[in-house]
Amino acid sequence: MRLIHAGAAPQASQYSMPEEINFPASEALRKSFRRLPAFRRKQELVKQGEAFHGLYIVRCGMLKQSFRDKGGGYQITHVFLPGDVIGLDAIEDRRYVGKVTVLETAGLLHIPFDWLEKFPGVQTDHLQLVCYLSRTMQRELTRMWHMMSQPSDVRLARFFLAMSSSFQAQGFSPSCFRLPMTRCEIANYLYMADETLSRLVGRFQRTNILAAQGREFCIKDMERLKSIAEAAE
């Protein structure tokens, strides 16, 4: 039996960026946007270390960014949802920090960065501000890694709350949603073992905080979930 009834919460491939909250831009800037053909699951958008060639705006679907260190360690560092911008953390060093892969069929807009640099009216201080924002994002990533030192149940609770807020912002149910991420991908993103994730999801189910079936999740007790997320603060 499905946890999510028809019409209650669309699948991620159906999530699109509403026109009224589209990426803010002037008419001239909008003309620089290039709508790309749909990207399919497991298709690669950019490679780690690839030369920076522009920003991408997610119109629909979901993508992940992963980083592989010199020792071969693999870590998912970002999950991109509709309305998110990919590549901001690459501006400062002009290199994409990690590999970006499609989790579920995605629609994207591409903004070539060399065009932005030549855009009429763009001044040096504006570009310096963009670079500052890029450095800020890199610092935020460091802060996120620090947050990952929190207990596993806190990390998982915060993850579900973040997904809930994102779907609510898109106009969908904040309580019931389907994620294209596998349980293994969620565990990797949260810096925990697959077994730990399974154990915690099972515990949340037994205590009626969460209902889960496959990739479908329903938050049954939002207040208790928030209480867990705030426990380490």
Side-chain angles (χ1 to χ4, degrees), residues 6-155:
Q11 294 187 6
S13 60
Q14 295 174 281
Y15 300 143
S16 60
M17 187 165 52
E19 195 64 32
E20 61 269 18
I21 63 167
N22 210 336
F23 191 78
S26 65
E27 184 60 30
L29 184 55
R30 285 182 185 277
K31 290 180 180 179
S32 73
F33 293 176
R34 184 163 66 94
R35 183 172 297 198
L36 303 178
F39 281 73
R40 304 301 177 187
R41 177 172 170 78
K42 296 185 178 181
Q43 193 170 349
E44 191 176 283
L45 178 64
V46 298
K47 294 180 172 62
Q48 179 177 328
E50 180 179 336
F52 178 68
H53 47 72
L55 303 172
Y56 296 89
I57 305 172
V58 183
R59 297 186 62 254
C60 61
M62 184 182 287
L63 303 92
K64 66 178 179 180
Q65 179 171 303
S66 58
F67 177 82
R68 190 173 295 279
D69 61 30
K70 294 180 180 179
Y74 173 84
Q75 182 63 50
I76 297 173
T77 58
H78 292 77
V79 173
F80 299 106
L81 295 167
D84 288 344
V85 180
I86 299 171
L88 284 173
D89 56 352
I91 297 173
E92 173 72 6
D93 296 329
R94 296 296 197 273
R95 295 278 174 185
Y96 291 102
V97 178
K99 181 174 72 171
V100 178
T101 311
V102 178
L103 287 169
E104 186 132 311
T105 302
L108 301 166
L109 297 175
H110 181 228
I111 309 176
F113 196 68
D114 58 352
W115 189 93
L116 289 177
E117 291 180 306
K118 301 172 184 175
F119 185 72
V122 172
Q123 300 175 3
T124 301
D125 56 347
H126 294 160
L127 292 177
Q128 288 176 343
L129 174 60
V130 172
C131 288
Y132 170 78
L133 292 174
S134 180
R135 288 195 298 273
T136 300
M137 284 198 65
Q138 293 177 359
R139 288 196 297 269
E140 176 64 16
L141 181 58
T142 300
R143 187 204 65 79
M144 183 195 72
W145 283 343
H146 174 71
M147 187 274 289
M148 289 307 176
S149 65
Q150 301 293 341
S152 298
D153 58 344
V154 173
R155 280 178 269 161

Side-chain angles (χ1 to χ4, degrees), residues 192-209:
M192 65 177 68
D194 298 353
E195 296 80 6
T196 302
L197 177 69
S198 296
R199 176 173 53 80
L200 288 173
V201 170
R203 192 180 90 192
F204 284 5
Q205 288 181 284
R206 289 192 302 274
T207 53
N208 291 318
I209 295 174

